Amino acid sequence: ARLQAQYRVALVDEFQDTDLRQAAIFSRLFARPAAADTGASRALFLIGDPKQAIYRFRGGDVVAYLIAAHRADQRHALQHNFRSRPRALQALQTLYQGAGEEAFAHAEIGFQPVQPGGRCVDADFLRDGTPAPGGCVALIEVLDALPIEAARGRAAQARATAILELLQASAAGHVRCRRKDGSEGAVQPGDIA
């Protein structure tokens, strides 16, 4: 009651990291009228991405996300990505379109393409003086036959090898990047996400 008296609006960012109990608390506090309400409305804004919830990062539960999405009065999707190069966005779009409607193994979770926001350009990441590809695919044979932990280990090893090769190529002068602060130079471990 004290929280409802003090706050009429709440915004939960990274909602995909929310579990069912937390979602119920937010809903009770902000999505329903409180006993003390005298006509003033309440609002609960949830910001998140269900494609991240499937990893259960921080205990997040994709079911909690989907329930909240079904209960929402309105749903909006971002139209622009300000953090990624246009080639990277195009590579992801091509990959997920090729994977089909069940790319995320759930009919209610789909890929929505976005437009580049203009802050990142392809020339921000150069390989031998030209914009680097938007992505690369590592083919790991017989992955389907492996237990999930072994498959994750193999995928992590492939990624670690690719990062090492990128850092070595950068140290040899073949790869350069432009950072958010405007500085340019060889790719450093801190530039990799």
Side-chain angles (χ1 to χ4, degrees):
R2 280 189 225 154
L3 283 171
Q4 288 177 327
Q6 188 172 358
Y7 303 104
R8 294 193 139 341
V9 176
L11 182 146
V12 180
D13 196 9
E14 303 292 348
F15 185 76
Q16 73 274 355
D17 298 337
T18 303
D19 63 29
L20 287 166
R21 174 178 247 174
Q22 293 165 331
I25 292 168
F26 294 135
S27 178
R28 181 174 178 196
L29 287 172
F30 301 108
R32 298 185 216 150
D37 285 348
T38 56
S41 60
R42 299 192 164 278
L44 175 60
F45 296 94
L46 307 174
I47 300 170
D49 182 352
K51 294 182 293 303
Q52 294 179 43
I54 62 176
Y55 300 109
R56 299 192 54 79
F57 185 60
R58 293 188 203 114
D61 187 340
V62 72
V63 173
Y65 181 97
L66 294 173
I67 289 170
H70 280 283
R71 291 181 179 164
D73 292 334
Q74 297 178 37
R75 291 174 73 175
H76 304 276
L78 296 177
Q79 303 298 314
H80 294 87
N81 176 317
F82 293 92
R83 296 180 176 178
S84 302
R85 296 180 311 124
R87 283 184 179 205
L89 296 175
Q90 183 59 49
L92 285 174
Q93 182 174 339
T94 300
L95 177 70
Y96 287 118
Q97 283 178 336
E101 296 201 16
E102 298 265 337
F104 296 98
H106 198 290
E108 293 184 54
I109 302 174
F111 177 78
Q112 294 191 1
V114 294
Q115 298 299 311
R119 287 190 191 152
C120 295
V121 296
D122 288 324
D124 288 343
F125 184 43
L126 301 175
R127 187 177 286 272
D128 294 322
T130 62
C136 63
V137 176
L139 178 61
I140 303 172
E141 295 182 30
V142 301
L143 196 59
D144 290 339
L146 295 175
I148 190 67
E149 288 308 316
R152 283 185 180 139
R154 253 233 212 130
Q157 182 61 48
R159 194 66 347 240
T161 299
I163 290 170
L164 177 61
E165 289 170 356
L166 173 67
L167 292 171
Q168 289 171 337
S170 189
H174 296 287
V175 180
R176 296 185 59 77
C177 71
R178 183 177 308 127
R179 295 171 189 85
K180 285 189 260 182
D181 65 4
S183 65
E184 295 183 30
V187 176
Q188 301 297 314
D191 297 319
I192 300 170

